[in-house]
Amino acid sequence: MASKILLVTGDAAESLEVFYPYQRLREEGYQVDIAAPTKKRLQFVVHDFVDGYDTYTEKPGYTWPADLALADVDPADYVALVIPGGRAPEYLRNDPEVQRIARHFFDGDKPVAQICHGPLITAAAGLLDGRRTSAYPALAPDIKAAGAEFVEGEAVVDGVVVSARAWPDHPAWLRAFIEVLRTKAPLN
């Protein structure tokens, strides 16, 4: 059986930030399970930048089924965790199941990849204190308030945690995460 990676997300997650790691990690040979608040078909979004706008725009994106509900996740079954961005982390961060799952990976020194608004989850779970992390640049105050050093970078590695700003950072972010996986969670 292939080593399993958990991807936690929900409605309004950024499509590219779900599908790129989902497909890239499967390509490496890992099984990737998607967990959401409930086992249902999720509606993702597309965030893009438009000239003249002060922030990004949001449009409907792809839909995709969650493999399991967060309450049904046994994090011990997984070698690593991926936390995509988009708006999903804004409401997921308050979910005690998401916090339980994230704590398991941090407490066990298991690889974690987080991008864009994903660090809102690890911040809410109290897991960023004393760490270095990247995130969507508008989250710099949130990262600092969580006790972490905000680093604006495309692949910030802090131990087994690999973070990035947003989907334009995918190549560097996943390259760095796969290096961590090969060391800490090689394929069975």
Side-chain angles (χ1 to χ4, degrees):
M1 181 170 84
S3 296
K4 296 189 335 182
I5 294 176
L6 183 66
L7 190 151
V8 296
T9 196
D11 288 322
E14 164 55 52
S15 293
L16 287 173
E17 293 173 4
V18 172
F19 286 118
Y20 185 81
Y22 177 79
Q23 292 172 330
R24 182 66 189 90
L25 294 168
R26 290 184 66 206
E27 180 183 26
E28 282 293 311
Y30 292 91
Q31 176 182 324
V32 181
D33 290 343
I34 295 176
T38 59
K39 184 179 176 181
K40 68 170 193 162
R41 190 160 197 90
L42 299 168
Q43 175 64 61
F44 300 140
V45 298
V46 173
H47 289 143
D48 204 356
F49 302 95
V50 176
D51 288 341
Y53 275 60
D54 293 329
T55 187
Y56 53 85
T57 62
E58 182 174 287
K59 300 169 185 90
Y62 295 104
T63 63
W64 196 260
D67 297 303
L68 66 165
L70 294 167
D72 297 330
V73 170
D74 180 354
D77 292 342
Y78 297 91
V79 299
L81 175 66
V82 176
I83 307 172
R87 281 189 300 113
E90 292 174 13
Y91 66 90
L92 289 174
R93 66 181 161 175
N94 299 313
D95 188 317
E97 294 296 334
V98 170
Q99 292 183 17
R100 169 187 66 87
I101 291 164
R103 283 189 190 102
H104 169 87
F105 287 91
F106 276 73
D107 291 347
D109 201 35
K110 291 181 170 182
V112 174
Q114 56 184 5
I115 190 167
C116 194
H117 285 70
L120 289 174
I121 290 172
T122 52
L127 302 170
L128 294 184
D129 191 33
R131 292 192 166 271
R132 299 173 65 248
T133 190
S134 189
Y136 189 70
L139 269 60
D142 302 279
I143 299 302
K144 292 173 186 170
E149 175 189 349
F150 174 76
V151 180
E152 190 166 337
E154 64 182 5
V156 175
V157 180
D158 182 0
V160 295
V161 179
V162 182
S163 58
R165 297 167 295 200
W167 55 262
D169 295 339
H170 277 162
W173 177 57
L174 259 291
R175 188 170 37 253
F177 186 57
I178 288 168
E179 286 178 23
V180 170
L181 287 173
R182 287 180 178 149
T183 301
K184 292 289 286 184
L187 286 165
N188 290 342

